[in-house]
């Protein structure tokens, strides 16, 4: 996809301004379990992801430089449209720092364009998640990002710019300490495994896909930008965006050691906790719901999600485990039409995976739709995040506590 076509898409997807808020100074009393996701964009090996835009999944291609343990070239997912940035110092400090820097610089304008939905001069923080170990490389990437922001009309509204090496739970990554933070935050998350270090990490964990039809993960890369609001305990009800609920996690024995029945039962319990049945169905058996069969009609606060995002469907046994649990829980859901798997969509994006699942979760939704994100990549841990439509809850008088 060309840079011009990306900008055309972004101009088509601008959001109406947020209501004016009086409080824009840093605070430290935000609710640690509540976030409101307003918008998101991403660049992946499959193309640009944004509101109303989810491209077709792309097959991996043979890498010209990366080889597996058997000496054969690896299948990889590479982002095609990246802005070339000349920063020779980065390569001296850390091998993949230059690639991460290029990816960040490619999306920074798109990220800042999301701020057009906020009232003028609304203060915001930036959190950059990039797995950089070198302090020198980190400082260069962060300062280039800061400089790019300061060259725009948003310079005076920039609060703090923080760096973290790991993605993970958004409530933790975007949390504030005693020094506080601004109500709005741009979360920019980036990673690339298209390097010897990334390949070695997947090989060490024995999750690397060996051929085009073998189970496993294929190295990929992505850069994501999310516009998120930190919420106060007494914030009013909102009529747009999605509430990101605190994650529901389940630690369990290794998947490889468990029978299919046990894995399905554990995942069903996780789904029931993360997405409770409607009150009218509370006495029904798991999977018996009264929701509509049409995804666009599943807008109730507790109806089946309109869209489901899974991080790693291609790992051994995951398709059976997830598919059987979802069919039992929500027979009306069709994973071909109502869901997507990150690894099969654009390859494994490393530390950017959580932010990317959130961007993919809201991209196809109407304002009244809700979505579910499932993380099943871990061998001994499963996690779910529910993204609840604020508009649907206002319409139906849902619980906003």
């Amino acid at each position: 996809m060309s840079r011009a076509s990306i900008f055309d898409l972004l101009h088509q997807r601008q959001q109406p301004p947020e209501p004016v808020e009086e409080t824009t100074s840093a605070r430290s009393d935000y609710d640690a379990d509540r976030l409101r996701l307003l918008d998101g964009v991403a660049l992946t090996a499959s193309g640009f992801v944004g509101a109303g835009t989810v491209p077709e999944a792309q097959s991996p291609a043979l890498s010209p430089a990366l080889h597996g343990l058997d000496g054969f070239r690896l299948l990889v997912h590479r982002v095609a449209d990246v802005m070339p940035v000349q920063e020779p110092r980065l390569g001296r400090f850390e091998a993949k720092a230059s690639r991460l820097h290029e990816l960040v610089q490619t999306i920074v304008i798109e990220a800042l364009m999301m701020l057009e939905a906020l009232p003028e001069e609304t203060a915001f923080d930036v959190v950059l998640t990039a797995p950089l170990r070198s302090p020198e490389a980190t400082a260069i990437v962060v300062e280039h990002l800061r400089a790019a922001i300061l060259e725009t009309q948003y310079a005076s509204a920039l609060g703090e710019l923080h760096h973290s090496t790991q993605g993970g739970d958004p409530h933790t990554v975007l949390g504030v300490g005693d020094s506080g933070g601004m109500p709005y935050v741009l979360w920019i998350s980036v990673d690339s495994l298209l390097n010897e270090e990334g390949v070695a990490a997947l090989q060490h964990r024995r999750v690397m896909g060996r051929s085009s039809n073998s189970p496993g993960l294929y190295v990929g890369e992505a850069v994501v930008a999310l516009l998120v609001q930190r919420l106060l305990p007494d914030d009013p009800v909102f009529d747009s965006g999605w509430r990101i609920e605190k994650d529901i996690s389940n630690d369990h024995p290794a998947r490889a050691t468990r029978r299919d029945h046990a894995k399905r039962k554990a995942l069903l319990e996780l789904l029931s906790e993360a997405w409770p049945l409607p009150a009218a169905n509370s006495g029904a058996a798991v999977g018996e719901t009264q929701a509509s069969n049409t995804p666009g009609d599943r807008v109730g606060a507790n109806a089946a999600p309109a869209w489901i995002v899974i991080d790693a469907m291609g790992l051994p046994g995951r398709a059976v485990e997830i598919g059987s649990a979802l069919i039992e829980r929500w027979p009306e859901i069709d994973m071909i039409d109502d869901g997507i798997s990150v690894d099969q969509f654009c390859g494994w994006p490393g530390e950017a995976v959580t932010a990317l699942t959130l961007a993919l979760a809201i991209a196809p939704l109407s304002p009244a739709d809700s979505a579910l994100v499932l993380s099943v990549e871990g061998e001994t841990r499963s996690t779910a995040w529910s993204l609840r439509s604020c508009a649907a809850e206002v319409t139906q008088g849902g619980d906003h506590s």
Side-chain angles (χ1 to χ4, degrees), residues 140-153:
I140 292 171
V141 173
V142 168
E143 287 311 308
H144 274 282
L145 176 57
R146 188 189 306 276
I149 297 172
L150 293 181
E151 291 176 356
T152 70
Q153 68 268 35

Side-chain angles (χ1 to χ4, degrees), residues 124 188 294 305:
F124 66 97
I188 299 177
T294 304

